[in-house]
Amino acid sequence: MTIVYSCIARGSTMLCSHQIGAGTFEDVTLGMLGNIPTRNDTKVTYSSDNYLYHVLVENGLIYLCVAKADFGKQRPYGYLEEIKKQFQRSSLSSRAITAMQFELNRDFSQVMAQQMEKFSSGAAVDGMSAVQKQVDEVKNIMTENIEKVLERGERLDDLVEKTEDLEHSSKMFQTTARRVRKKYFWQNTKMTICLVVTAILAVLIIVLIILFSTKVLPVKNDPTPASTTPASG
């Protein structure tokens, strides 16, 4: 199972291609190119005669490869990503804007051949599997971190709720304490007034007693009427 054909095209203009073995893959591809939309970047797979035509469109260019259906899609699209990266890093990407049919074959066909062989072999599979394993491990770590964050968020919600309850209780306590303090303030004020009045009255009474006992203030006695003795005749 190998990638048997590959090409890079600008619309219906095929810029370069490479094929392993016999087959009419290029003829089928030439008939297919005019129907592939290039306005938006996309990935799409077409089927023809038990072969899958994997297409990657980016910046108006078409990157295509052909492989058996049982070859899967992971390696073909991995291959397309690799040749796209190498093609865009070279000066060919600017030449592709105006290049004629097959004009870039001499410059890039050999690169395509090397990458087709690499991604058709088990070495590329092992490398991609290792990368996929690393990606899966990172995804698992991220999932665990997200779960911890969510769990921590629930605990924070509980803490915030308890804090709000405590704040509410504190406000109620302050209000109740203010009322009690005000109530006892007036009670103490009334008690103080009563004690002061009682003390003043007590002092006044004591002073009066002393004054009367020392005759500083004389005690008024009621006058006794004089008795008259009738004269004897």
Side-chain angles (χ1 to χ4, degrees):
M1 294 185 294
T2 59
I3 298 174
V4 295
Y5 176 79
S6 178
C7 72
I8 300 175
R10 184 189 70 246
S12 59
T13 301
M14 189 173 292
L15 303 175
C16 56
S17 67
H18 183 78
Q19 178 170 324
I20 299 175
T24 58
F25 306 114
E26 190 156 272
D27 293 335
V28 174
T29 300
L30 286 171
M32 185 185 298
L33 289 177
N35 298 319
I36 299 176
T38 58
R39 184 171 301 176
N40 298 318
D41 296 348
T42 186
K43 287 182 179 180
V44 63
T45 298
Y46 301 96
S47 176
S48 177
D49 295 331
N50 296 323
Y51 283 91
L52 296 181
Y53 290 69
H54 306 283
V55 177
L56 173 64
V57 178
E58 187 167 312
N59 297 329
L61 294 181
I62 299 171
Y63 303 86
L64 181 147
C65 70
V66 182
K68 280 282 190 179
D70 55 2
F71 193 60
K73 294 183 179 181
Q74 183 179 6
R75 279 185 280 174
Y77 276 114
Y79 161 79
L80 292 178
E81 289 286 351
E82 181 62 27
I83 63 167
K84 180 199 73 174
K85 181 174 65 176
Q86 294 196 28
F87 189 81
Q88 291 179 346
R89 284 190 307 196
S90 69
S91 60
L92 300 179
S93 59
S94 59
R95 291 174 56 191
I97 300 175
T98 57
M100 304 298 290
Q101 189 95 327
F102 298 112
E103 182 178 331
L104 305 182
N105 249 354
R106 185 179 62 180
D107 300 285
F108 204 71
S109 178
Q110 188 60 35
V111 175
M112 298 170 70
Q114 292 173 354
Q115 295 302 321
M116 288 169 68
E117 182 179 356
K118 174 183 176 182
F119 279 83
S120 297
S121 67
V125 176
D126 294 339
M128 295 182 67
S129 299
V131 172
Q132 185 62 41
K133 183 178 180 181
Q134 292 177 356
V135 171
D136 292 339
E137 290 177 354
V138 171
K139 286 171 62 178
N140 292 333
I141 293 173
M142 290 180 64
T143 302
E144 292 177 0
N145 290 337
I146 291 173
E147 290 176 351
K148 290 179 181 178
V149 169
L150 292 175
E151 183 180 357
R152 192 180 301 117
E154 292 178 358
R155 293 177 181 175
L156 288 175
D157 290 340
D158 293 339
L159 182 59
V160 169
E161 185 177 354
K162 291 179 180 178
T163 303
E164 290 176 351
D165 292 342
L166 183 60
E167 182 180 2
H168 180 67
S169 300
S170 176
K171 288 181 179 179
M172 290 185 61
F173 174 77
Q174 290 177 359
T175 302
T176 304
R178 195 178 299 115
R179 290 177 180 174
V180 171
R181 185 167 60 249
K182 188 175 181 180
K183 176 181 177 181
Y184 280 99
F185 170 77
W186 286 113
Q187 286 183 355
N188 292 335
T189 301
K190 292 178 182 178
M191 182 72 69
T192 302
I193 292 173
C194 290
L195 290 175
V196 169
V197 171
T198 302
I200 292 173
L201 290 176
V203 171
L204 183 58
I205 292 172
I206 293 172
V207 169
L208 289 175
I209 292 173
I210 293 172
L211 291 176
F212 280 116
S213 63
T214 57
K215 296 183 179 181
V216 174
L217 292 177
V219 180
K220 289 185 179 181
N221 294 322
D222 293 335
T224 302
S227 59
T228 56
T229 301
S232 56

